[in-house]
Amino acid sequence: MLEDRVDYFILAYESPNFSAAASHIPMSPQGFSKAIRNLERQLGVTLFATDASGQRRPTAYADRFYEYATQVARERAELQRSFDELTEKGAAEFVAVSSLGIAGLIGASLRTAFARRCPEARLSIIEVPDDDCERFVCEGRYRCGLLVSPARGDLRFREVYKTGVCFWVHRASPLFHRDVLCLEDLVDQSIAMPGHGFRCYRRLVERMEDAGLPLPDIVERSEIMWIYEEAARGRALGFCLPYMEELAAFSHNDEVRAIPVEGSRWGFGIAHGKEPAPGSYEAVFEACVEESVGRLAC
């Protein structure tokens, strides 16, 4: 390789003779001399000439080539250092976009599974509202994402998880002892939930309109902690998913309980805007999502 011959040349230029240079590799003096001759043939010039005393001396071509060779060696060393730094940090990064709440539901198992399959890469997940997630995938900002169902028709989308919908209800509410809530129970209620830009909001509005029922007063909150706070203070019913009732942040308060809503569902899937790029991490990411979601049912 030319890279090796450049290194050999630097040794030859900086050493008193070829034998001394060859000893640093190590290589036989004959093999080293042959490598230098091959480099001269490749360059079309004489780099070392024999003087009157029989010693090989660098020519003017060698002086000029030495400037180039040492610069190449410095740049190669700097490149290797940068590669080493990237390796330590995790050189490759696969970035996926996600609707808010999905990453929390899946938990750390997704990143663990990805790291096990691709130890050279780092998985990053950007969380945004549902509509932004869908738009970013459609626009190609991210090649794939975890999107709350349903997805628009021009996306390749496969649902991988679904569950019911609940509302947190405070003990002071007459609905507190119900086993199931129906749409009629929501009339004249205040409901804290994610608002515009979220599928759950749109789905509730559609269901109430289809049933010919007036819309409840919706208090828009995108953070689940603030939704729970509205319910815990008895100011509103709070949108939640069944698994949230078991979380440590919400399971300590006997004054609030999560009650299923009849006929309501929430789910998410993997959305792609384009065909997966050859050699990309998309297939690995999708397999890791399926593996992690499979554990949710266990």
Side-chain angles (χ1 to χ4, degrees), residues 173-203:
S173 170
L175 302 175
F176 183 79
H177 295 288
R178 293 285 189 87
D179 292 326
V180 178
L181 301 178
C182 62
L183 292 181
E184 287 77 6
D185 293 325
L186 306 183
V187 176
D188 297 327
Q189 297 287 336
S190 289
I191 296 178
M193 65 183 302
H196 292 79
F198 291 87
R199 298 288 196 277
C200 57
Y201 173 89
R202 187 178 307 153
R203 181 58 179 154

Side-chain angles (χ1 to χ4, degrees), residues 31 44 54 62 74 86-87 101 109 114-115 120 130 135 148 162 167 172 182 196 207 211 217-218 249 252 295:
R74 286 193 298 270
L86 287 172
T87 298
S109 61
F114 191 89
E120 79 287 357
D130 302 343
R135 178 165 56 85
V148 171
K162 61 182 177 180
F167 281 114
C182 62
H196 292 79
R207 292 193 69 203
D217 175 35
I218 297 178
H252 64 283
R295 293 177 179 175

Side-chain angles (χ1 to χ4, degrees), residues 2 7 32 40 50-51 61 152 204 228 246 251 270-271 281:
L2 178 60
D7 291 340
F32 187 86
E40 289 177 328
T50 304
D51 63 11
Y61 294 111
R152 52 191 271 184
L204 177 62
Y228 179 79
E246 304 302 322
S251 61
I270 304 169
Y281 291 105

Side-chain angles (χ1 to χ4, degrees), residues 37-230:
R37 288 197 300 272
N38 288 338
L39 177 61
E40 289 177 328
R41 280 196 294 270
Q42 187 171 1
L43 296 176
V45 299
T46 299
L47 297 173
F48 296 90
T50 304
D51 63 11
S53 65
Q55 296 294 318
R56 287 190 177 93
R57 303 293 183 190
T59 65
Y61 294 111
D63 293 337
R64 182 62 59 84
F65 190 69
Y66 181 74
E67 297 174 5
Y68 164 82
T70 52
Q71 178 65 26
V72 168
R74 286 193 298 270
E75 292 180 354
R76 192 168 70 240
E78 181 61 32
L79 180 62
Q80 187 60 54
R81 280 194 295 271
S82 68
F83 282 174
D84 292 343
E85 291 175 359
L86 287 172
T87 298
E88 292 177 1
K89 296 176 181 177
E93 182 179 35
F94 179 71
V95 183
V97 66
S98 171
S99 294
L100 285 169
I102 296 177
L105 169 59
I106 295 176
S109 61
L110 176 55
R111 284 187 172 85
T112 300
F114 191 89
R116 186 178 66 251
R117 297 179 187 225
C118 302
E120 79 287 357
R122 181 175 68 253
L123 171 64
S124 295
I125 298 177
I126 309 300
E127 294 190 81
V128 297
D130 302 343
D131 286 355
D132 289 338
C133 179
E134 183 177 72
R135 178 165 56 85
F136 290 164
V137 175
C138 288
E139 292 175 353
R141 295 196 198 183
Y142 302 93
R143 293 194 60 86
C144 68
L146 299 174
L147 178 63
V148 171
S149 310
R152 52 191 271 184
D154 55 343
L155 280 178
R156 292 187 299 115
F157 179 79
R158 183 167 60 86
E159 188 174 72
V160 296
Y161 179 84
K162 61 182 177 180
T163 186
V165 171
C166 298
F167 281 114
W168 276 309
V169 181
H170 190 271
R171 184 179 296 275
S173 170
L175 302 175
F176 183 79
H177 295 288
R178 293 285 189 87
D179 292 326
V180 178
L181 301 178
C182 62
L183 292 181
E184 287 77 6
D185 293 325
L186 306 183
V187 176
D188 297 327
Q189 297 287 336
S190 289
I191 296 178
M193 65 183 302
H196 292 79
F198 291 87
R199 298 288 196 277
C200 57
Y201 173 89
R202 187 178 307 153
R203 181 58 179 154
L204 177 62
V205 170
E206 290 173 350
R207 292 193 69 203
M208 297 295 285
E209 290 178 345
D210 289 346
L213 299 172
L215 293 178
D217 175 35
I218 297 178
V219 181
E220 297 188 24
R221 298 284 188 270
S222 59
E223 295 290 337
I224 199 66
M225 290 300 299
W226 290 115
I227 292 174
Y228 179 79
E229 184 68 13
E230 293 287 343

